[in-house]
Amino acid sequence: MTSNKTVLISGGAGYIGSHTAVELINANYDVIIIDNLSNSELSAIDGIKKITGRQDLTFIQVDTCDYEALKKVFDNYQFDSVIHFAAFKAVGESVDEPLKYYMNNLMSFMNIIDLMKKYERPNVLFSSSATVYGESDDLPVTEESPRMPATSPYGNTKQMAEDILRDCANAYKGLHGIALRYFNPIGAHPSALIGELPRGVPNNLVPYITQTAAGIRECLNVFGGDYPTPDGSCLRDFIDIVDLARAHVATIDRMTQGKMEAPYEIFNIGTGRPVSVLELITTFEHVNNLNLPYRITDRRQGDIAALWADVTRANEVLGWKASRSLDQTLSAAWAWQKHLAQI
């Protein structure tokens, strides 16, 4: 297979990376997965192989902060595109250990870009986040909405990495960069063979919901019931993980087919529909015929009342649109939790 159809996925054993690998393989791309397994499991690689039937899948355990180890990957494998997921991502931890986040998240990305430049590999897709918008005055947010000051070192690394990619794509001839700003990825693959695999107490809402439903957690806390929203809980744009993964395929298609209109582009990846935390909980209960113990507690520091995406650009330019329903997503999330109980 030609290097044009081969994609290097850093952090490819993680939640978003593993689902993206599946969708790329389904779209006839070849993938090379690298991951240091610091926050992921080899079971994800097994899941990718089972879903796709690709037992010859290339996986290399390597830390993207290790320049020499990463260089060997560039020496030994041909690929034109890289999707960079590898990063620490716990907002609370980043507040407590900012240097850890700046060193890991920025050094790993700069290593990738430096080697892409040196080896003349043209396409870099960066895994960014809607956190760059902060608490926006205008909703939904578009790609032109101003980035607000980051509320955590984690969020700041996303803003800084976007700037690094923009500046390098504009400076280095032949290098192209696209940043995808994700909103709130949830769910699991419909096969229940891969999904979100938090270590310890989950930081994200849906794993906490499924673990509470499974009896692993005693009760779900809903942080804040007095926000200026229809039901008092926060509003978010929850995007199915498979829909999100397919957005990466559309983006790689755009890059490899020479359709980019500028060296650097940005796209919001969400549904465009705000869903409240309480609506998410009641939908989960209804779809899976469960009663979930939850309580409304005090607001959590750093949370914003509402954030959702204007996805017009992704729909029109990438030719991509979220298609899975919230019912499908939350059914898959529960199926994944039940699968985990059997491992």
Side-chain angles (χ1 to χ4, degrees), residues 27 126 133 152 224 269 271:
F126 176 62
Y133 293 116
S152 70
I269 304 298
T271 65

Side-chain angles (χ1 to χ4, degrees), residues 183-201:
F183 280 69
N184 297 79
I186 60 171
H189 194 269
S191 67
L193 290 171
I194 55 174
E196 192 166 4
L197 196 60
R199 290 183 174 176
V201 179

Side-chain angles (χ1 to χ4, degrees), residues 190-296:
S191 67
L193 290 171
I194 55 174
E196 192 166 4
L197 196 60
R199 290 183 174 176
V201 179
N203 288 303
N204 294 335
L205 177 60
V206 169
Y208 212 111
I209 287 175
T210 60
Q211 289 189 11
T212 303
I216 299 169
R217 309 288 163 195
E218 183 180 340
C219 185
L220 172 69
N221 289 325
V222 175
F223 297 106
D226 59 350
Y227 284 100
T229 60
D231 63 17
S233 67
C234 293
L235 288 171
R236 294 292 183 268
D237 190 333
F238 295 102
I239 172 80
D240 185 277
I241 187 64
V242 175
D243 281 334
L244 175 60
R246 289 173 179 158
H248 292 77
V249 179
T251 304
I252 291 293
D253 285 346
R254 179 171 177 78
M255 300 178 99
T256 57
Q257 293 168 14
K259 294 180 179 178
M260 290 181 65
E261 296 169 3
Y264 175 69
E265 297 178 341
I266 301 165
F267 295 95
N268 285 338
I269 304 298
T271 65
R273 174 180 175 250
V275 173
S276 77
V277 171
L278 289 176
E279 182 185 351
L280 190 80
I281 292 168
T282 55
T283 303
F284 178 86
E285 290 179 316
H286 173 74
V287 168
N288 297 303
N289 195 26
L290 294 164
N291 288 314
L292 196 69
Y294 69 89
R295 59 176 174 251
I296 296 175

